[in-house]
Amino acid sequence: MKQRSALSRRELLQVLAALASRPAAGAASQAVTSNPVFVDVAPSSGITFQHDNAASPEKYLIETMGSGCGWIDYDQDGLMDLYLVNGAATRTYQPRRPLRSALYRNNGDGSFSDLTDKAGVGAETLFGMGVAVGDYDNDGFPDLYVLGYDRCILYHNNGNGTFSDATARAGVANRGKWGSSAAWLDYDNDGRLDLVVANYVDWSPDHNLWCGEHKPGYRGYCHPDVYKGQTPTFYHNNGDGTFTDVSQSSGVGLKPGNGLGVVTFDYDNDGWQDIFIANDSMTNFLFHNNRDGTFREIGYLAGVAASAEGRTEAGMGTDAADTAGGGWLDLVVTHLDFEHARLYRNLGDGSFEDATFETRLGYATFHMSGFGACFMDYDNDGACDIFMANGHILDNIQLYHRDTQYAEPKLMFRNTGRGIFENVSHKLGPDFRLARVSRGAAVGDFDNDGDLDILVSNNGQAPQLLRNDGGNRNHWLQVFLVGTKSNRDGVGARVKVVSGDLTLYDQRKGGRSYQSAQDPRLHFGLGQRQAVDSVEVRWPSGTVTRLENLRSDQIITVKEGAGLVSREFPRVRGS
């Protein structure tokens, strides 16, 4: 969360060079280019949740760092339900009613119902941060892992609309650590989901320092450098409902960090998932999978530990996607204001380059504090765009920087088709531009209409459910994976879609964004292409599934070893 006051000379030259090398018109061909509009439908859909961050004069650091949100089809009816993480009482804050997180069921008619009590997933007394969704026992029903300060909770999905607290039996409580974000992944390709947790700093109410000036109103939340970082936690799935802590033996938990965001993906396309952790104000971690149950941290060697100038920045949200169409997944990392959101381009040789200014991403993010970060093709033109949810850390930031706001608008960067981005935030409607203290962000097609919507969790405020109106004017395809020999979620699978002159690549990744869980279906925008020539799935097991001659504008289910299978994804009435 460091703050800097100006662009370096090198950065200024990069900005000017990028502006001088705009892509030719028509780079994103065969697509309707009129912008969709995002409409906040949370208030009208029955979502009454209000995040409570337990704000107090003591400025506990946990008050400002959360929280997340996620998509989960917990009852497997083909409609994405949603989960919102909440805070809890503290020594200095006692709410009138106990705080709880919330599960909302998608009713299929544009409304949601709060089924938290029935499902048993309120996470009461947990000062919550993030959520991760994964079917860890391969029973066909996704489970919930809720992260928080000093402990985490694993809710096992019973398959009947209820969950059971399986934390103790599973051995994944993460006791004594501040869990921020987590990712389910199958790191050893044994067909079972393992779990990596990005932990933040060693803060406690007993060690809550005064930061800021000693005069009324000027006390602020402390910089993470004031506290020691915490090592990531890594759990191996034993296949019997229990996990073993392999943090040390795997190499993932050997070095402390200030972990906030995590994404798992196969950056070198060798068939094994790697782990990237965005660290706050210290070097990021990239753990290369050695394929023998161990990892090697190569952030510096790969070029993603810091900026091109060697600066460590306030790494918060992160995601991975192929932005230029070469089949290699790039990284985005969001940071605090007076820094830049970074785009690390995958060079295909095991390394990345900082392409922030070449891609025209950096300058528009300089005065923003980015948390949620998601790659998404919001307009279905066949090029992967970038969404960022923003909000400052300090609720009194204007006392220190008059031009900086606590609540900030969101950002959308449209990919023009060559991995060059255009800031189109001002074109997406007043609800999208509304300033909020945003943290978690989860992308998903909750109404099954073929364009991607965005769930945003706001610190100390109500959430937003930004429905995409108009993104489906272009064609699309969604792919839901069901593993058999591989883990049932298909995490780690690599998918290639060919439609005429368009070739798209994606992976079923773990984690992503900030403290949030994404729609499990892979989404591909197709522009005006009405047919799909082929879909190829390379499963973690090594099995390859190939489908040909599919129509666009549908959600397909691909089962390992069986190919295309029938599954209902009903369109929400009225969408």
Side-chain angles (χ1 to χ4, degrees):
M1 295 187 293
K2 293 179 180 177
Q3 296 180 350
R4 305 186 186 276
S5 58
L7 288 169
S8 69
R9 181 174 181 274
R10 178 176 177 175
E11 288 172 332
L12 182 58
L13 291 174
Q14 287 174 316
V15 170
L16 295 174
L19 291 174
S21 59
R22 294 174 183 263
S29 60
Q30 295 192 36
V32 175
T33 56
S34 57
N35 278 292
V37 172
F38 287 89
V39 178
D40 182 10
V41 297
S44 61
S45 64
I47 299 173
T48 59
F49 180 87
Q50 175 80 22
H51 180 257
D52 193 329
N53 63 347
S56 74
E58 292 301 310
K59 300 290 182 180
Y60 285 169
L61 189 55
I62 54 174
E63 298 169 7
T64 195
M65 298 306 296
S67 60
C69 55
W71 295 107
I72 174 173
D73 183 4
Y74 81 99
D75 52 1
Q76 291 295 281
D77 64 352
L79 295 165
M80 296 309 302
D81 313 299
L82 62 89
Y83 190 80
L84 296 159
V85 182
N86 211 349
T90 66
R91 292 181 184 178
T92 59
Y93 179 78
Q94 296 295 323
R96 295 180 179 179
R97 297 180 179 177
L99 303 181
R100 65 170 193 174
S101 297
L103 174 67
Y104 283 88
R105 182 182 185 272
N106 188 335
N107 298 322
D109 59 1
S111 70
F112 289 80
S113 296
D114 187 340
L115 294 185
T116 309
D117 290 339
K118 180 180 178 181
V121 290
E124 293 86 353
T125 75
L126 174 71
F127 203 107
M129 288 289 150
V131 60
V133 175
D135 183 3
Y136 75 89
D137 57 354
N138 290 332
D139 67 351
F141 289 90
D143 310 298
L144 274 171
Y145 189 67
V146 186
L147 299 100
Y149 169 72
D150 199 43
R151 65 186 177 96
C152 300
I153 300 173
L154 175 62
Y155 288 114
H156 175 260
N157 191 330
N158 298 322
N160 61 1
T162 69
F163 292 74
S164 299
D165 187 338
T167 314
R169 179 177 186 274
V172 292
N174 200 39
R175 284 281 181 186
K177 291 190 174 182
W178 177 345
S180 178
S181 298
W184 293 99
L185 75 158
D186 183 3
Y187 77 100
D188 51 0
N189 287 347
D190 66 352
R192 298 186 293 266
L193 288 180
D194 312 296
L195 181 65
V196 62
V197 181
N199 296 308
Y200 195 40
V201 297
D202 188 16
W203 171 91
S204 75
D206 295 326
H207 189 47
N208 187 55
L209 304 179
W210 185 292
C211 294
E213 299 182 36
H214 284 267
K215 56 184 181 180
Y218 277 78
R219 185 174 186 178
Y221 297 104
C222 290
H223 190 280
D225 285 354
V226 173
Y227 304 100
K228 294 180 180 179
Q230 295 185 323
T231 55
T233 306
F234 199 33
Y235 294 108
H236 174 261
N237 190 333
N238 300 322
D240 60 359
T242 69
F243 292 76
T244 298
D245 189 334
V246 294
S247 305
Q248 295 293 309
S249 61
S250 68
V252 172
L254 296 179
K255 187 166 60 173
N258 299 337
L260 288 179
V262 60
V263 60
T264 67
F265 68 115
D266 182 6
Y267 80 91
D268 53 358
N269 287 340
D270 67 352
W272 298 75
Q273 276 205 304
D274 311 294
I275 303 170
F276 177 80
I277 295 179
N279 283 317
D280 188 354
S281 301
M282 63 173 291
T283 55
N284 302 315
F285 295 153
L286 177 60
F287 295 101
H288 174 260
N289 193 327
N290 296 325
R291 312 184 211 178
D292 60 1
T294 69
F295 291 78
R296 182 165 63 104
E297 203 287 296
I298 59 165
Y300 267 125
L301 291 176
V304 296
S307 71
E309 296 74 32
R311 294 179 181 171
T312 58
E313 296 173 308
M316 294 186 283
T318 186
D319 199 0
D322 178 12
T323 65
W328 302 91
L329 270 58
D330 311 308
L331 275 168
V332 66
V333 185
T334 56
H335 299 109
L336 199 65
D337 62 328
F338 296 99
E339 296 172 344
H340 305 277
R342 297 283 169 182
L343 193 288
Y344 295 103
R345 177 187 291 142
N346 193 329
L347 299 179
D349 60 0
S351 69
F352 296 75
E353 66 176 354
D354 184 349
T356 301
F357 292 99
E358 182 182 343
T359 57
R360 294 175 57 199
L361 183 67
Y363 189 73
T365 65
F366 186 67
H367 290 289
M368 295 287 186
S369 296
F371 280 86
C374 303
F375 283 109
M376 60 180 294
D377 187 356
Y378 80 97
D379 55 359
N380 284 344
D381 68 350
C384 203
D385 314 303
I386 303 176
F387 169 79
M388 296 180 189
N390 308 295
H392 207 275
I393 293 293
L394 302 177
D395 54 358
N396 57 358
I397 184 60
Q398 285 194 293
L399 297 176
Y400 294 93
H401 298 284
R402 185 176 300 176
D403 296 332
T404 303
Q405 304 294 321
Y406 182 43
E408 298 176 334
K410 295 154 191 65
L411 291 173
M412 183 73 80
F413 294 92
R414 180 178 178 270
N415 190 333
T416 60
R418 299 179 180 177
I420 306 297
F421 294 90
E422 172 194 6
N423 184 0
V424 296
S425 310
H426 61 288
K427 300 179 180 180
L428 303 184
D431 289 351
F432 188 90
R433 297 193 301 269
L434 195 64
R436 286 290 183 265
V437 186
S438 298
R439 296 292 184 257
V443 170
D445 185 6
F446 83 89
D447 48 6
N448 289 340
D449 69 346
D451 50 28
L452 293 173
D453 315 297
I454 310 170
L455 177 65
V456 181
S457 178
N458 299 310
N459 185 272
Q461 299 172 327
Q464 294 163 284
L465 177 53
L466 298 171
R467 187 186 64 204
N468 186 333
D469 289 350
N472 55 11
R473 285 193 288 264
N474 284 318
H475 296 293
W476 53 276
L477 180 75
Q478 290 182 23
V479 181
F480 181 71
L481 301 175
V482 179
T484 53
K485 186 177 180 182
S486 303
N487 66 85
R488 188 177 179 92
D489 287 354
V491 175
R494 293 176 291 161
V495 179
K496 176 183 177 181
V497 172
V498 178
S499 177
D501 61 338
L502 181 68
T503 301
L504 300 172
Y505 301 87
D506 202 359
Q507 297 177 17
R508 181 68 164 86
K509 300 174 283 287
R512 304 174 58 202
S513 190
Y514 177 81
Q515 300 181 345
S516 299
Q518 312 301 312
D519 190 325
R521 299 167 294 187
L522 299 181
H523 182 97
F524 299 91
L526 302 175
Q528 288 298 289
R529 302 165 186 88
Q530 299 181 20
V532 176
D533 298 319
S534 65
V535 174
E536 181 182 272
V537 182
R538 293 187 174 272
W539 300 89
S541 67
T543 301
V544 178
T545 300
R546 184 176 176 86
L547 308 171
E548 296 183 343
N549 300 321
L550 303 171
R551 63 177 176 82
S552 64
D553 303 331
Q554 63 170 325
I555 305 171
I556 64 172
T557 299
V558 183
K559 187 173 183 179
E560 184 179 14
L564 198 64
V565 297
S566 178
R567 185 184 178 99
E568 290 296 320
F569 294 96
R571 183 159 177 169
V572 168
R573 297 187 296 275
S575 65

